[in-house]
């Protein structure tokens, strides 16, 4: 999907008026080359103007190479130039494609499937914390604003961002729904951006790919827009410099400690535009410095009464869940996050046993997740499966998911997108080498074959190419 979008953007770029001259010149040169090659192979005489090509074909190739490299240099120079205030307007079509890509990847691909696993939504309990952030210099906060205070349950996601003046931190324990909260904000902002050309485009960036060698947080954003969303680098640079995109940065806690601190320091230098960051509370508190944001929202664990009311709201369908929670106090404590509560609802509805022989919380949690995975593999409706997915058994699916999980863990990733895979993801060094250098090796062998055929047949370079392809 990324390559199709990128190819479309490249084609639209080459249709721009400033590139028409280069395109016409290349077309003429290629036409002359093909006509000359046909005449040489058929022993037909060339026109007087083109006869030097028969004796010195490399001259033509040299001129063609100079023109291509010159055009590339001009385009590269234009790309490296700093954009003006009107630069983002030139990329309106890219902005529209970016909105669609973010919605497809994160709203349709992550948020909606996660919400569909629950019989009904679980209302998150939110608390406002200003003491968890360091407001930028010059920002004066009202008296008493550092105190913790609950956030009304009916507050729309956009209101959190407005109160934070565009710079918001989302905290919470594992499984409480931090990423769901972030994606709900993205969904609301995407609807606004689709209807308002001046609105910022929310883009989810996963911080697990951040590297300390990144020149700056802005440069990393440009790289991610190009690598994961297929945005041309010139457009990506303009979007970041002029604040067209609103970064929603998730997964700060998934970085190793040295990288986490370095990433936080880089984000603290990014103060000219809005920014939303999502992190686990414990890992965030351990940072050597607070993020320079305006407001923190913490997703609190569910209370026992919240869990009971949610189970009762399911009516008769919630009876197995209520019995499960009532029979095991350990499961009642585990149910204080939407993630585990949803897993219990699925397992209880199927009548599966989650108790086992162990009674400790960790063992019970592992048993619950294993049972939930078994239920998900067996009971997933076929209509929700990808084409061909039904041919794999649950055991095979577990095996390949474990392999994928090991690859993600080795690269500090927790979110998987197929177009993120690189050649070094191959299981062995030999396979990685084959994927990386195989196409180059094949191309080199073809070129050598063409050269050998040209030498044997005493043909020009163009004739050798045509013979090699069977003309």
């Amino acid at each position: 999907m990324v390559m199709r979008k990128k190819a479309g953007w490249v084609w639209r770029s080459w249709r721009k008026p400033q590139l028409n001259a280069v395109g016409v010149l290349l077309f003429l040169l290629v036409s002359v080359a093909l006509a000359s090659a046909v005449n040489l192979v058929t022993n037909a005489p060339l026109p007087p103007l083109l006869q030097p090509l028969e004796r010195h074909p490399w001259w033509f190739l040299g001129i063609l190479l100079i023109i291509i490299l010159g055009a590339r240099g001009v385009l590269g120079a234009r790309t490296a130039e700093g954009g003006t205030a009107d630069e983002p307007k030139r990329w309106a079509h890219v902005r529209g494609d970016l909105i669609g890509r973010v919605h497809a990847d994160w709203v349709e691909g992550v948020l909606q499937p996660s919400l569909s696993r629950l019989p009904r939504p679980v209302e998150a309990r939110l608390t406002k914390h200003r003491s968890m952030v360091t407001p930028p210099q010059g920002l004066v906060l009202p008296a008493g604003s550092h105190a913790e205070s609950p956030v009304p349950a009916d507050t729309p996601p956009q209101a959190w961002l407005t109160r934070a003046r565009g710079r918001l931190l989302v905290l919470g324990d594992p499984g409480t729904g931090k990423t769901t909260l972030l994606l709900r904000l993205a969904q609301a902002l995407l609807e606004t951006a689709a209807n308002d050309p001046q609105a910022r485009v929310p883009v989810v960036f996963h911080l697990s790919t951040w590297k300390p060698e990144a020149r700056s947080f802005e440069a990393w954003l440009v790289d991610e827009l190009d690598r994961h969303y297929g945005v041309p680098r010139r457009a990506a640079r303009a979007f970041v410099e002029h604040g067209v995109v609103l970064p929603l940065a998730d997964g700060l806690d998934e970085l190793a400690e040295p990288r986490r601190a370095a990433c936080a320091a880089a984000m603290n230098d990014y103060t000219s535009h809005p920014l939303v960051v999502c992190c686990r509370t414990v890992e965030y508190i351990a940072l050597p410095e607070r993020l320079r944001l305006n407001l923190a929202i913490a997703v609190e664990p569910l209370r026992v009464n919240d869990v009971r009311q949610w189970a009762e709201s399911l009516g008769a369908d919630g009876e197995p869940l209520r019995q499960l929670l009532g029979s095991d106090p350990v499961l009642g404590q585990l149910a204080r996050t939407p993630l585990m509560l949803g897993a219990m609802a699925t397992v209880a509805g199927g009548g599966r046993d989650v108790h086992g022989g162990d009674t400790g919380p960790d063992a019970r949690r592992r048993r619950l997740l294993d049972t939930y995975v078994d239920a998900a593999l067996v009971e997933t409706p076929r209509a929700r499966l990808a084409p061909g997915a039904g041919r794999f058994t649950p055991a095979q699916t577990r095996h390949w998911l474990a392999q994928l999980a090991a690859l993600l863990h080795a690269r500090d990733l927790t979110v998987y997108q197929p177009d993120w895979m690189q050649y070094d993801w191959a299981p062995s060094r030999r396979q990685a080498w084959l994927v990386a250098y195989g196409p180059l090796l094949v191309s080199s062998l073809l070129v050598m074959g063409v050269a050998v055929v040209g030498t044997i047949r005493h043909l020009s370079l163009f004739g050798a190419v045509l013979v090699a392809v069977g003309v």
Side-chain angles (χ1 to χ4, degrees):
M1 179 163 53
V2 176
M3 296 306 297
R4 288 201 301 270
K5 289 179 177 290
K6 185 174 289 190
W9 285 328
V10 171
W11 169 244
R12 283 191 289 267
S13 299
W14 277 85
R15 290 175 58 192
K16 291 189 175 298
Q18 60 266 30
L19 300 178
N20 284 347
V22 176
V24 170
L25 184 58
L26 289 176
F27 176 76
L28 292 176
L29 289 173
V30 172
S31 300
V32 170
L34 290 177
S36 302
V38 172
N39 285 353
L40 290 171
V41 172
T42 59
N43 294 322
L46 294 175
L49 184 63
L50 300 179
Q51 286 180 0
L53 292 177
E54 186 175 8
R55 297 188 300 272
H56 308 288
W58 292 105
W59 290 9
F60 171 80
L61 291 178
I63 294 173
L64 181 61
L65 181 61
I66 291 174
I67 292 175
I68 293 176
L69 292 178
R72 173 67 178 173
V74 171
L75 293 177
R78 291 179 61 89
T79 301
E81 294 174 355
T84 63
D86 294 332
E87 181 73 9
K89 296 180 181 179
R90 304 177 184 177
W91 303 101
H93 59 284
V94 180
R95 178 184 180 275
D97 290 342
L98 179 60
I99 292 174
R101 177 63 191 268
V102 175
H103 191 277
D105 284 358
W106 295 101
V107 176
E108 299 176 11
V110 178
L111 178 62
Q112 293 176 354
S114 67
L115 295 179
S116 67
R117 298 188 186 103
L118 293 172
R120 59 179 300 154
V122 179
E123 292 294 338
R125 295 179 56 247
L126 306 178
T127 304
K128 180 175 64 176
H129 299 260
R130 287 196 187 272
S131 59
M132 300 294 282
V133 294
T134 301
Q137 294 181 357
L139 179 63
V140 179
L141 299 176
S145 59
H146 288 279
E148 299 180 6
S149 59
V151 177
D154 58 349
T155 304
Q158 304 95 313
W160 313 326
L161 195 61
T162 301
R163 295 175 184 176
R165 303 185 185 183
R167 298 181 63 81
L168 177 68
L169 173 65
V170 180
L171 297 172
D173 295 334
T176 53
K178 302 180 302 299
T179 300
T180 299
L181 193 68
L182 190 74
L183 295 183
R184 285 179 55 199
L185 175 61
Q187 183 181 32
L189 295 176
L190 283 171
E191 294 176 359
T192 302
N195 298 316
D196 182 3
Q198 303 302 320
R200 301 179 192 271
V201 179
V203 181
V204 179
F205 295 91
H206 209 271
L207 293 171
S208 59
T209 63
W210 190 87
K211 298 294 187 292
E213 55 268 22
R215 299 183 303 277
S216 65
F217 190 67
E218 292 92 334
W220 179 79
L221 292 176
V222 172
D223 291 340
E224 292 298 290
L225 285 172
D226 174 47
R227 182 183 302 113
H228 294 318
Y229 291 100
V231 178
R233 294 195 65 84
R234 184 177 178 184
R237 186 177 293 108
F239 286 174
V240 173
E241 289 179 357
H242 298 283
V244 175
V245 297
L246 169 56
L248 308 181
D250 192 14
L252 178 61
D253 51 90
E254 295 166 15
L255 293 170
E257 188 171 353
R259 290 174 59 199
R260 190 187 313 141
C263 182
M267 287 190 291
N268 276 342
D269 293 333
Y270 182 79
T271 58
S272 56
H273 297 296
L275 173 66
V276 180
V277 182
C278 188
C279 183
R280 292 181 181 177
T281 304
V282 173
E283 285 78 1
Y284 177 77
I285 293 176
L287 287 173
E289 59 178 333
R290 296 283 189 261
L291 290 178
R292 294 175 185 170
L293 302 173
N294 299 334
L295 178 65
I297 295 291
V299 186
E300 304 292 347
L302 299 173
R303 295 169 297 193
V304 175
N305 191 46
D306 297 330
V307 175
R308 184 183 300 111
Q309 290 179 355
W310 185 82
E312 291 175 354
S313 69
L314 301 180
D317 294 336
E319 182 59 28
L321 175 61
R322 291 191 291 270
Q323 293 180 359
L324 181 64
L325 294 173
S327 64
D328 193 331
V330 175
L331 292 179
Q333 290 297 319
L334 293 177
R336 297 186 64 194
T337 65
L339 173 65
M340 301 304 292
L341 182 58
M344 289 182 195
T346 300
V347 170
R352 289 176 167 81
D353 178 28
V354 298
H355 294 87
D358 298 323
T359 58
D362 292 339
R364 191 63 54 81
R365 184 176 184 273
R366 288 194 299 269
R367 171 78 175 176
L368 173 62
L369 291 177
D370 288 342
T371 308
Y372 172 72
V373 171
D374 290 337
L377 291 176
V378 173
E379 298 178 0
T380 299
R382 184 166 295 274
R384 290 175 52 188
L385 294 174
R391 68 175 182 269
F392 297 107
T393 65
Q396 291 173 322
T397 304
R398 274 182 171 272
H399 169 75
W400 290 114
L401 287 177
Q403 294 287 327
L404 179 59
L407 290 172
L408 295 176
H409 179 72
R411 289 156 181 81
D412 294 326
L413 296 174
T414 57
V415 176
Y416 170 70
Q417 297 287 353
D419 52 359
W420 291 9
M421 298 187 70
Q422 302 295 326
Y423 69 89
D424 58 351
W425 286 45
S428 66
R429 187 182 300 272
R430 179 181 300 177
Q431 291 172 327
W433 187 94
L434 183 62
V435 174
Y437 300 107
L440 179 61
L441 179 62
V442 173
S443 301
S444 301
L445 292 175
L446 287 176
V447 171
M448 292 175 61
V450 168
V452 170
V453 172
T455 302
I456 294 175
R457 299 290 302 273
H458 302 287
L459 294 175
S460 66
L461 178 63
F462 303 111
V465 172
L466 295 177
V467 170
V469 298
V471 178

